[in-house]
Amino acid sequence: MQLRNPGQNTLTQKWLPPFVYGFLLLSPFSISIFNYGKHYIFEIPLVISIIFGLIMRDELYISALSAIRLTRKSLLFVSIVTLAFLIGWMNTGNFGDAYGDYRAGIVMLAGFAITKYAVTKNGGLWLTRLGLVCAILYVFFFLKSAAFTADYLKFPSSYLALTVTAVIACWNKKVTIAEIAVLLQIFLAAISFYRQYWIATLFTALFVSSYMLFKRKSVARRSWLHIFALFILGILPIYLFFNNQIANFFEQSAHYGQLFGKTIAFFDYAANSTSHYKTSDRSDALRFAYLSFLYLHPASLILPHGLGTTAVYGKIFPWYFVGYGIKANVIDSLIFFIAYCYGIIAAILVLVWLIMRYYVYILRRGLIEASLLFLLLILILAFDGGQITVILDSFWLGAFVALLSIPPPRIST
Protein backbone atom coordinates (compact mmCIF):
# COMPACT_ATOMS: atom_id res chain seq x y z
CA MET A 1 0.00 0.00 0.00
CA GLN A 2 1.34 3.44 -0.98
CA LEU A 3 1.25 6.67 0.98
CA ARG A 4 -1.29 9.24 -0.18
CA ASN A 5 0.65 12.07 -1.90
CA PRO A 6 4.04 10.64 -0.89
CA GLY A 7 5.87 13.60 -2.39
CA GLN A 8 4.18 16.07 -0.09
CA ASN A 9 5.16 16.51 3.53
CA THR A 10 2.88 19.24 4.81
CA LEU A 11 2.35 20.24 8.40
CA THR A 12 -1.12 18.70 8.31
CA GLN A 13 0.21 15.38 7.01
CA LYS A 14 2.82 15.36 9.75
CA TRP A 15 0.62 16.20 12.72
CA LEU A 16 -3.01 15.30 11.89
CA PRO A 17 -2.54 11.48 11.92
CA PRO A 18 -0.61 11.49 15.25
CA PHE A 19 -3.32 13.66 16.77
CA VAL A 20 -6.16 11.44 15.55
CA TYR A 21 -4.50 8.16 16.56
CA GLY A 22 -3.25 9.62 19.84
CA PHE A 23 -6.67 11.04 20.72
CA LEU A 24 -8.59 7.90 19.78
CA LEU A 25 -6.25 5.18 21.00
CA LEU A 26 -3.73 6.52 23.50
CA SER A 27 -5.31 9.38 25.44
CA PRO A 28 -7.53 9.65 28.54
CA PHE A 29 -10.08 11.45 26.35
CA SER A 30 -10.72 8.13 24.60
CA ILE A 31 -11.40 6.34 27.89
CA SER A 32 -13.75 9.14 28.91
CA ILE A 33 -15.69 9.17 25.62
CA PHE A 34 -15.92 5.44 24.92
CA ASN A 35 -16.76 4.35 28.43
CA TYR A 36 -20.07 2.56 28.71
CA GLY A 37 -21.26 1.18 32.02
CA LYS A 38 -17.78 1.64 33.52
CA HIS A 39 -16.31 -0.47 30.71
CA TYR A 40 -13.87 1.02 28.21
CA ILE A 41 -14.87 -0.18 24.72
CA PHE A 42 -11.47 0.13 23.06
CA GLU A 43 -12.70 -1.63 19.92
CA ILE A 44 -14.80 1.40 18.87
CA PRO A 45 -11.94 3.93 18.62
CA LEU A 46 -9.80 1.18 17.09
CA VAL A 47 -12.29 0.69 14.23
CA ILE A 48 -12.54 4.47 13.73
CA SER A 49 -8.73 4.68 13.57
CA ILE A 50 -8.57 1.91 10.98
CA ILE A 51 -11.15 3.70 8.82
CA PHE A 52 -9.19 6.95 9.15
CA GLY A 53 -6.00 5.15 8.12
CA LEU A 54 -7.69 3.59 5.09
CA ILE A 55 -8.78 7.04 3.97
CA MET A 56 -5.56 8.94 4.73
CA ARG A 57 -3.01 6.18 4.01
CA ASP A 58 -0.61 8.08 6.24
CA GLU A 59 2.83 7.03 7.40
CA LEU A 60 1.64 5.84 10.80
CA TYR A 61 -1.05 3.62 9.32
CA ILE A 62 1.25 2.16 6.66
CA SER A 63 3.95 1.44 9.23
CA ALA A 64 1.45 -0.23 11.57
CA LEU A 65 0.02 -2.29 8.72
CA SER A 66 3.49 -3.39 7.65
CA ALA A 67 4.67 -4.14 11.18
CA ILE A 68 1.64 -6.11 12.41
CA ARG A 69 1.89 -9.22 10.28
CA LEU A 70 1.63 -12.81 11.33
CA THR A 71 5.18 -14.08 11.16
CA ARG A 72 6.07 -17.18 13.13
CA LYS A 73 7.58 -15.14 15.93
CA SER A 74 4.66 -12.72 16.24
CA LEU A 75 2.18 -15.58 16.06
CA LEU A 76 4.06 -17.28 18.91
CA PHE A 77 3.79 -14.25 21.21
CA VAL A 78 0.14 -13.63 20.33
CA SER A 79 -0.56 -17.29 21.09
CA ILE A 80 1.20 -17.02 24.48
CA VAL A 81 -0.88 -13.99 25.48
CA THR A 82 -4.05 -15.68 24.21
CA LEU A 83 -3.27 -18.81 26.22
CA ALA A 84 -2.72 -16.69 29.35
CA PHE A 85 -6.11 -15.05 28.71
CA LEU A 86 -7.86 -18.42 28.44
CA ILE A 87 -6.14 -19.77 31.58
CA GLY A 88 -7.04 -16.62 33.53
CA TRP A 89 -10.65 -16.77 32.36
CA MET A 90 -10.95 -20.40 33.44
CA ASN A 91 -9.20 -19.82 36.78
CA THR A 92 -11.17 -16.72 37.82
CA GLY A 93 -14.40 -17.16 35.89
CA ASN A 94 -14.23 -13.46 35.07
CA PHE A 95 -14.15 -12.98 31.29
CA GLY A 96 -14.20 -9.19 31.36
CA ASP A 97 -11.23 -8.83 33.67
CA ALA A 98 -9.12 -11.38 31.80
CA TYR A 99 -10.07 -9.81 28.45
CA GLY A 100 -9.10 -6.34 29.67
CA ASP A 101 -5.59 -7.56 30.48
CA TYR A 102 -5.54 -9.47 27.19
CA ARG A 103 -6.28 -6.34 25.15
CA ALA A 104 -3.52 -4.45 26.94
CA GLY A 105 -1.09 -7.32 26.26
CA ILE A 106 -1.95 -7.36 22.55
CA VAL A 107 -1.53 -3.57 22.38
CA MET A 108 1.89 -3.94 24.03
CA LEU A 109 2.90 -6.44 21.31
CA ALA A 110 1.61 -3.99 18.69
CA GLY A 111 3.67 -1.17 20.22
CA PHE A 112 6.73 -3.40 20.15
CA ALA A 113 6.21 -4.49 16.52
CA ILE A 114 5.37 -1.02 15.20
CA THR A 115 8.30 0.67 16.94
CA LYS A 116 10.78 -2.00 15.91
CA TYR A 117 9.65 -1.80 12.27
CA ALA A 118 9.54 2.01 12.14
CA VAL A 119 12.92 2.61 13.80
CA THR A 120 14.65 -0.11 11.78
CA LYS A 121 13.18 1.01 8.45
CA ASN A 122 13.44 4.80 8.56
CA GLY A 123 14.38 5.93 12.06
CA GLY A 124 10.81 6.07 13.38
CA LEU A 125 10.77 9.84 13.69
CA TRP A 126 6.97 9.92 13.31
CA LEU A 127 6.76 8.12 16.67
CA THR A 128 8.20 11.24 18.32
CA ARG A 129 5.23 13.24 17.01
CA LEU A 130 2.84 10.62 18.38
CA GLY A 131 4.57 10.72 21.77
CA LEU A 132 4.47 14.53 21.96
CA VAL A 133 0.80 14.62 20.94
CA CYS A 134 -0.13 12.04 23.59
CA ALA A 135 1.70 14.02 26.28
CA ILE A 136 0.00 17.28 25.27
CA LEU A 137 -3.39 15.55 25.32
CA TYR A 138 -2.66 14.44 28.90
CA VAL A 139 -1.88 18.06 29.83
CA PHE A 140 -5.18 19.30 28.38
CA PHE A 141 -7.10 16.46 30.00
CA PHE A 142 -5.58 17.38 33.35
CA LEU A 143 -6.51 21.04 32.97
CA LYS A 144 -10.15 20.15 32.28
CA SER A 145 -10.50 17.25 34.69
CA ALA A 146 -11.55 16.90 38.31
CA ALA A 147 -7.96 15.96 39.17
CA PHE A 148 -7.08 19.64 38.78
CA THR A 149 -9.86 21.05 40.96
CA ALA A 150 -10.70 18.32 43.51
CA ASP A 151 -8.71 16.52 46.17
CA TYR A 152 -7.14 13.96 43.85
CA LEU A 153 -3.82 12.66 45.12
CA LYS A 154 -2.41 11.42 41.82
CA PHE A 155 -2.80 12.01 38.09
CA PRO A 156 -1.61 9.09 35.93
CA SER A 157 -0.10 9.50 32.47
CA SER A 158 1.99 7.44 30.06
CA TYR A 159 5.42 8.58 31.17
CA LEU A 160 7.26 6.10 28.92
CA ALA A 161 5.82 7.86 25.85
CA LEU A 162 8.18 10.76 26.41
CA THR A 163 11.16 8.53 27.21
CA VAL A 164 10.59 6.74 23.89
CA THR A 165 10.21 10.12 22.17
CA ALA A 166 13.49 11.44 23.60
CA VAL A 167 15.47 8.31 22.71
CA ILE A 168 14.23 8.19 19.10
CA ALA A 169 14.81 11.93 18.74
CA CYS A 170 18.41 11.58 19.90
CA TRP A 171 19.00 8.63 17.61
CA ASN A 172 17.76 10.83 14.74
CA LYS A 173 19.87 13.78 15.95
CA LYS A 174 16.75 15.88 16.66
CA VAL A 175 17.87 17.39 19.94
CA THR A 176 15.12 20.01 20.12
CA ILE A 177 12.43 17.31 20.03
CA ALA A 178 14.24 15.49 22.84
CA GLU A 179 14.37 18.71 24.86
CA ILE A 180 10.64 19.29 24.42
CA ALA A 181 9.99 15.70 25.52
CA VAL A 182 11.96 16.31 28.72
CA LEU A 183 10.00 19.52 29.40
CA LEU A 184 6.67 17.77 29.01
CA GLN A 185 7.85 14.89 31.17
CA ILE A 186 8.87 17.31 33.93
CA PHE A 187 5.43 18.93 33.84
CA LEU A 188 3.54 15.62 33.87
CA ALA A 189 5.74 14.34 36.68
CA ALA A 190 5.07 17.50 38.69
CA ILE A 191 1.29 17.11 38.46
CA SER A 192 1.28 13.33 38.85
CA PHE A 193 2.87 12.95 42.30
CA TYR A 194 3.95 9.43 41.31
CA ARG A 195 7.48 8.56 42.37
CA GLN A 196 8.22 6.46 39.30
CA TYR A 197 7.34 9.39 37.03
CA TRP A 198 10.12 11.47 38.55
CA ILE A 199 12.52 8.54 38.26
CA ALA A 200 11.68 8.11 34.56
CA THR A 201 12.04 11.86 34.04
CA LEU A 202 15.45 11.83 35.71
CA PHE A 203 16.69 8.98 33.53
CA THR A 204 15.30 10.62 30.39
CA ALA A 205 16.94 13.95 31.22
CA LEU A 206 20.26 12.23 31.95
CA PHE A 207 19.99 10.29 28.69
CA VAL A 208 19.45 13.49 26.68
CA SER A 209 22.20 15.24 28.62
CA SER A 210 24.68 12.44 27.95
CA TYR A 211 23.80 12.54 24.28
CA MET A 212 24.27 16.31 24.10
CA LEU A 213 27.54 16.27 26.03
CA PHE A 214 29.28 13.18 24.69
CA LYS A 215 27.73 12.10 21.41
CA ARG A 216 27.22 15.26 19.37
CA LYS A 217 30.78 16.54 19.16
CA SER A 218 30.43 17.73 15.56
CA VAL A 219 27.79 20.36 16.42
CA ALA A 220 27.49 23.06 19.02
CA ARG A 221 26.33 21.58 22.31
CA ARG A 222 23.03 23.06 23.39
CA SER A 223 22.88 24.53 26.86
CA TRP A 224 20.24 23.38 29.32
CA LEU A 225 19.38 27.07 29.58
CA HIS A 226 17.71 26.51 26.22
CA ILE A 227 15.49 23.90 27.83
CA PHE A 228 14.51 26.09 30.76
CA ALA A 229 13.74 28.97 28.39
CA LEU A 230 11.42 26.70 26.41
CA PHE A 231 9.88 25.46 29.64
CA ILE A 232 9.08 29.00 30.82
CA LEU A 233 7.61 29.93 27.43
CA GLY A 234 5.48 26.80 27.43
CA ILE A 235 4.25 26.99 31.00
CA LEU A 236 3.58 30.74 31.10
CA PRO A 237 0.27 30.68 29.15
CA ILE A 238 -1.02 27.84 31.35
CA TYR A 239 -0.11 29.75 34.50
CA LEU A 240 -1.76 32.96 33.27
CA PHE A 241 -5.06 31.20 32.57
CA PHE A 242 -5.06 28.79 35.52
CA ASN A 243 -2.99 30.54 38.19
CA ASN A 244 -5.60 30.17 40.98
CA GLN A 245 -6.22 26.49 40.27
CA ILE A 246 -2.49 25.79 40.07
CA ALA A 247 -1.89 27.49 43.42
CA ASN A 248 -4.70 25.50 45.07
CA PHE A 249 -3.50 22.26 43.51
CA PHE A 250 0.06 22.53 44.78
CA GLU A 251 -1.01 23.79 48.21
CA GLN A 252 -2.61 20.44 49.06
CA SER A 253 -0.25 18.79 51.54
CA ALA A 254 -1.56 15.29 50.74
CA HIS A 255 0.18 15.49 47.38
CA TYR A 256 3.56 15.84 49.04
CA GLY A 257 2.82 13.01 51.40
CA GLN A 258 2.30 10.81 48.38
CA LEU A 259 5.57 11.89 46.79
CA PHE A 260 8.08 12.63 49.56
CA GLY A 261 6.59 10.73 52.49
CA LYS A 262 6.24 7.50 50.55
CA THR A 263 9.71 7.93 49.04
CA ILE A 264 11.27 8.29 52.50
CA ALA A 265 9.29 5.26 53.67
CA PHE A 266 10.52 3.29 50.67
CA PHE A 267 14.19 3.91 51.45
CA ASP A 268 13.55 3.30 55.14
CA TYR A 269 12.16 -0.14 54.40
CA ALA A 270 14.93 -0.91 51.90
CA ALA A 271 17.49 -0.22 54.63
CA ASN A 272 15.59 -1.92 57.47
CA SER A 273 13.66 -4.78 55.93
CA THR A 274 14.07 -7.26 58.78
CA SER A 275 10.43 -6.65 59.74
CA HIS A 276 7.30 -6.33 57.63
CA TYR A 277 6.38 -3.20 59.53
CA LYS A 278 9.58 -1.15 59.49
CA THR A 279 7.80 1.26 57.12
CA SER A 280 4.73 3.38 57.72
CA ASP A 281 3.69 2.62 54.14
CA ARG A 282 3.06 -1.12 53.98
CA SER A 283 2.62 -1.01 50.21
CA ASP A 284 6.40 -0.64 49.88
CA ALA A 285 6.94 -3.63 52.14
CA LEU A 286 4.59 -5.55 49.86
CA ARG A 287 6.52 -4.50 46.75
CA PHE A 288 9.70 -5.97 48.20
CA ALA A 289 7.73 -9.04 49.26
CA TYR A 290 6.80 -9.78 45.64
CA LEU A 291 10.49 -9.97 44.78
CA SER A 292 11.34 -12.10 47.80
CA PHE A 293 8.48 -14.46 46.92
CA LEU A 294 10.05 -15.07 43.51
CA TYR A 295 13.26 -16.09 45.24
CA LEU A 296 11.79 -18.10 48.12
CA HIS A 297 8.85 -19.84 46.41
CA PRO A 298 9.55 -20.21 42.67
CA ALA A 299 7.84 -23.61 42.62
CA SER A 300 4.50 -21.90 43.32
CA LEU A 301 4.85 -20.07 40.01
CA ILE A 302 5.93 -22.91 37.75
CA LEU A 303 2.50 -23.09 36.14
CA PRO A 304 0.96 -19.87 34.76
CA HIS A 305 -2.12 -18.54 36.56
CA GLY A 306 -3.29 -16.52 33.56
CA LEU A 307 -4.54 -12.97 33.11
CA GLY A 308 -7.18 -11.19 35.18
CA THR A 309 -5.47 -8.91 37.68
CA THR A 310 -8.58 -7.40 39.28
CA ALA A 311 -10.25 -10.76 39.88
CA VAL A 312 -7.31 -12.04 41.96
CA TYR A 313 -6.86 -8.89 44.03
CA GLY A 314 -6.32 -9.94 47.63
CA LYS A 315 -6.40 -13.66 46.75
CA ILE A 316 -2.76 -14.22 45.79
CA PHE A 317 -0.99 -16.73 48.03
CA PRO A 318 -2.65 -15.50 51.25
CA TRP A 319 -0.50 -17.89 53.29
CA TYR A 320 2.48 -15.66 52.43
CA PHE A 321 1.13 -12.14 51.87
CA VAL A 322 -1.51 -11.90 54.61
CA GLY A 323 1.12 -10.75 57.13
CA TYR A 324 1.60 -7.46 55.31
CA GLY A 325 -1.73 -6.04 56.38
CA ILE A 326 -2.88 -5.02 52.88
CA LYS A 327 -4.21 -7.03 49.97
CA ALA A 328 -1.66 -8.35 47.50
CA ASN A 329 -2.01 -7.81 43.75
CA VAL A 330 0.00 -8.53 40.62
CA ILE A 331 0.36 -5.03 39.19
CA ASP A 332 2.81 -3.45 41.63
CA SER A 333 5.70 -5.44 40.15
CA LEU A 334 6.02 -6.19 36.44
CA ILE A 335 8.36 -9.15 36.93
CA PHE A 336 5.94 -10.63 39.49
CA PHE A 337 3.09 -10.05 37.03
CA ILE A 338 5.00 -11.98 34.35
CA ALA A 339 5.87 -14.80 36.74
CA TYR A 340 2.33 -15.08 38.11
CA CYS A 341 0.44 -14.79 34.81
CA TYR A 342 2.89 -16.52 32.45
CA GLY A 343 4.98 -18.68 34.79
CA ILE A 344 8.37 -18.33 36.45
CA ILE A 345 10.16 -19.66 33.35
CA ALA A 346 8.89 -16.68 31.37
CA ALA A 347 10.20 -14.30 34.03
CA ILE A 348 13.63 -15.97 33.97
CA LEU A 349 13.76 -15.71 30.17
CA VAL A 350 12.96 -11.99 30.40
CA LEU A 351 15.87 -11.44 32.80
CA VAL A 352 18.27 -13.46 30.60
CA TRP A 353 17.18 -11.43 27.58
CA LEU A 354 17.73 -8.22 29.54
CA ILE A 355 21.33 -9.15 30.35
CA MET A 356 22.09 -10.11 26.74
CA ARG A 357 20.61 -6.92 25.29
CA TYR A 358 22.45 -4.79 27.86
CA TYR A 359 25.77 -6.21 26.67
CA VAL A 360 24.94 -5.57 22.99
CA TYR A 361 23.75 -2.04 23.76
CA ILE A 362 26.99 -1.21 25.59
CA LEU A 363 29.02 -2.27 22.55
CA ARG A 364 27.06 0.00 20.22
CA ARG A 365 26.22 3.05 22.34
CA GLY A 366 28.47 3.02 25.41
CA LEU A 367 28.09 2.22 29.08
CA ILE A 368 26.37 5.44 30.23
CA GLU A 369 23.53 5.43 27.70
CA ALA A 370 22.97 1.69 28.06
CA SER A 371 22.92 1.82 31.85
CA LEU A 372 20.38 4.67 31.96
CA LEU A 373 17.83 2.88 29.77
CA PHE A 374 18.28 -0.60 31.18
CA LEU A 375 18.24 0.58 34.79
CA LEU A 376 14.92 2.29 34.07
CA LEU A 377 13.56 -0.97 32.67
CA ILE A 378 14.79 -2.86 35.74
CA LEU A 379 12.96 -0.43 38.03
CA ILE A 380 9.78 -0.87 35.99
CA LEU A 381 10.17 -4.65 36.15
CA ALA A 382 10.60 -4.49 39.92
CA PHE A 383 8.01 -1.91 40.93
CA ASP A 384 5.53 -0.98 38.15
CA GLY A 385 3.46 -3.83 36.75
CA GLY A 386 0.61 -1.46 35.91
CA GLN A 387 2.42 -0.52 32.70
CA ILE A 388 1.30 -3.79 31.12
CA THR A 389 -2.37 -3.75 32.17
CA VAL A 390 -3.48 -0.31 30.92
CA ILE A 391 -3.83 0.14 27.16
CA LEU A 392 -2.62 3.74 27.22
CA ASP A 393 0.59 2.61 28.93
CA SER A 394 1.15 -0.84 27.44
CA PHE A 395 1.70 0.50 23.91
CA TRP A 396 4.57 2.64 25.14
CA LEU A 397 5.98 -0.16 27.28
CA GLY A 398 6.14 -2.28 24.12
CA ALA A 399 7.75 0.62 22.26
CA PHE A 400 10.35 1.11 25.01
CA VAL A 401 11.25 -2.59 25.06
CA ALA A 402 11.51 -2.49 21.25
CA LEU A 403 14.16 0.23 21.47
CA LEU A 404 16.22 -2.06 23.69
CA SER A 405 15.67 -5.12 21.50
CA ILE A 406 16.94 -3.74 18.19
CA PRO A 407 20.55 -2.87 17.39
CA PRO A 408 20.68 0.87 18.16
CA PRO A 409 22.48 3.11 15.67
CA ARG A 410 26.18 3.36 16.35
CA ILE A 411 27.50 6.61 17.75
CA SER A 412 28.43 9.07 15.04
CA THR A 413 30.10 12.33 15.82
Side-chain angles (χ1 to χ4, degrees):
M1 184 179 289
Q2 297 293 322
L3 289 169
R4 183 182 292 276
N5 301 323
Q8 300 178 12
N9 197 17
T10 65
L11 190 63
T12 301
Q13 288 176 320
K14 279 186 174 183
W15 290 100
L16 180 61
F19 174 79
V20 172
Y21 297 131
F23 183 89
L24 289 173
L25 301 176
L26 299 171
S27 82
F29 287 102
S30 179
I31 293 180
S32 177
I33 294 171
F34 300 103
N35 194 304
Y36 301 95
K38 297 183 178 180
H39 295 287
Y40 175 41
I41 313 300
F42 174 72
E43 291 74 11
I44 296 177
L46 178 61
V47 170
I48 297 174
S49 299
I50 292 174
I51 295 173
F52 176 82
L54 285 170
I55 295 172
M56 295 296 294
R57 298 204 299 271
D58 56 272
E59 186 178 13
L60 279 72
Y61 178 78
I62 299 302
S63 295
L65 204 62
S66 302
I68 304 174
R69 57 189 187 276
L70 291 179
T71 62
R72 290 183 178 180
K73 185 179 294 186
S74 63
L75 188 59
L76 171 64
F77 284 105
V78 170
S79 299
I80 291 173
V81 178
T82 303
L83 181 61
F85 157 65
L86 295 174
I87 293 173
W89 180 17
M90 289 187 293
N91 281 344
T92 65
N94 191 324
F95 173 84
D97 188 40
Y99 181 67
D101 288 349
Y102 175 69
R103 287 187 313 187
I106 294 298
V107 170
M108 184 200 70
L109 294 179
F112 178 92
I114 292 171
T115 302
K116 184 175 182 179
Y117 173 84
V119 173
T120 303
K121 185 174 178 61
N122 53 24
L125 197 56
W126 61 262
L127 274 165
T128 63
R129 295 192 288 272
L130 182 63
L132 293 177
V133 164
C134 289
I136 292 171
L137 287 171
Y138 269 106
V139 172
F140 278 101
F141 187 82
F142 170 77
L143 294 176
K144 71 171 290 294
S145 70
F148 190 31
T149 57
D151 295 331
Y152 278 60
L153 295 181
K154 296 180 179 180
F155 178 75
S157 62
S158 301
Y159 61 87
L160 281 179
L162 292 167
T163 300
V164 170
T165 297
V167 172
I168 295 177
C170 288
W171 286 1
N172 285 274
K173 302 179 182 180
K174 304 293 184 180
V175 178
T176 300
I177 294 177
E179 291 175 343
I180 294 173
V182 172
L183 295 181
L184 286 169
Q185 203 167 27
I186 291 173
F187 182 81
L188 289 174
I191 64 177
S192 73
F193 290 94
Y194 279 98
R195 292 169 292 178
Q196 62 266 39
Y197 288 29
W198 280 109
I199 294 172
T201 301
L202 174 63
F203 281 114
T204 305
L206 290 174
F207 178 91
V208 175
S209 297
S210 68
Y211 173 81
M212 292 165 59
L213 293 174
F214 303 114
K215 307 298 192 296
R216 296 289 288 140
K217 297 177 182 178
S218 62
V219 298
R221 297 169 180 169
R222 286 176 168 81
S223 169
W224 277 102
L225 291 175
H226 181 200
I227 288 185
F228 289 118
L230 286 174
F231 181 75
I232 292 173
L233 291 175
I235 208 71
L236 185 60
I238 295 176
Y239 179 77
L240 292 176
F241 282 100
F242 300 99
N243 58 325
N244 290 330
Q245 295 96 320
I246 290 173
N248 293 333
F249 180 80
F250 285 102
E251 284 176 358
Q252 297 181 38
S253 59
H255 287 143
Y256 301 97
Q258 283 288 322
L259 179 61
F260 299 110
K262 293 186 71 172
T263 300
I264 293 171
F266 176 86
F267 286 113
D268 176 66
Y269 185 82
N272 306 281
S273 58
T274 55
S275 168
H276 291 170
Y277 306 107
K278 283 287 186 178
T279 174
S280 58
D281 183 3
R282 294 182 181 178
S283 62
D284 285 330
L286 194 58
R287 286 184 172 90
F288 281 98
Y290 297 134
L291 303 180
S292 65
F293 186 89
L294 295 176
Y295 176 75
L296 296 172
H297 304 283
S300 299
L301 299 168
I302 292 294
L303 296 178
H305 292 75
L307 301 173
T309 54
T310 303
V312 298
Y313 179 70
K315 303 175 183 178
I316 305 167
F317 307 116
W319 49 269
Y320 183 83
F321 291 110
V322 69
Y324 290 84
I326 56 176
K327 294 180 179 180
N329 63 75
V330 297
I331 63 172
D332 281 340
S333 170
L334 180 54
I335 195 66
F336 185 77
F337 174 94
I338 295 171
Y340 183 88
C341 296
Y342 295 96
I344 190 69
I345 301 300
I348 293 173
L349 291 175
V350 167
L351 295 177
V352 171
W353 172 86
L354 183 66
I355 295 171
M356 294 173 59
R357 293 310 309 171
Y358 178 58
Y359 175 73
V360 173
Y361 206 105
I362 290 175
L363 294 179
R364 296 185 67 93
R365 299 290 294 185
L367 179 63
I368 295 177
E369 187 173 309
S371 298
L372 289 170
L373 295 183
F374 278 86
L375 186 55
L376 176 56
L377 181 58
I378 289 172
L379 291 172
I380 293 171
L381 282 169
F383 302 116
D384 195 2
Q387 292 296 309
I388 203 172
T389 60
V390 180
I391 288 176
L392 307 186
D393 300 332
S394 63
F395 177 88
W396 294 109
L397 174 63
F400 183 63
V401 174
L403 296 181
L404 306 181
S405 71
I406 58 179
R410 293 188 181 277
I411 297 172
S412 60
T413 60

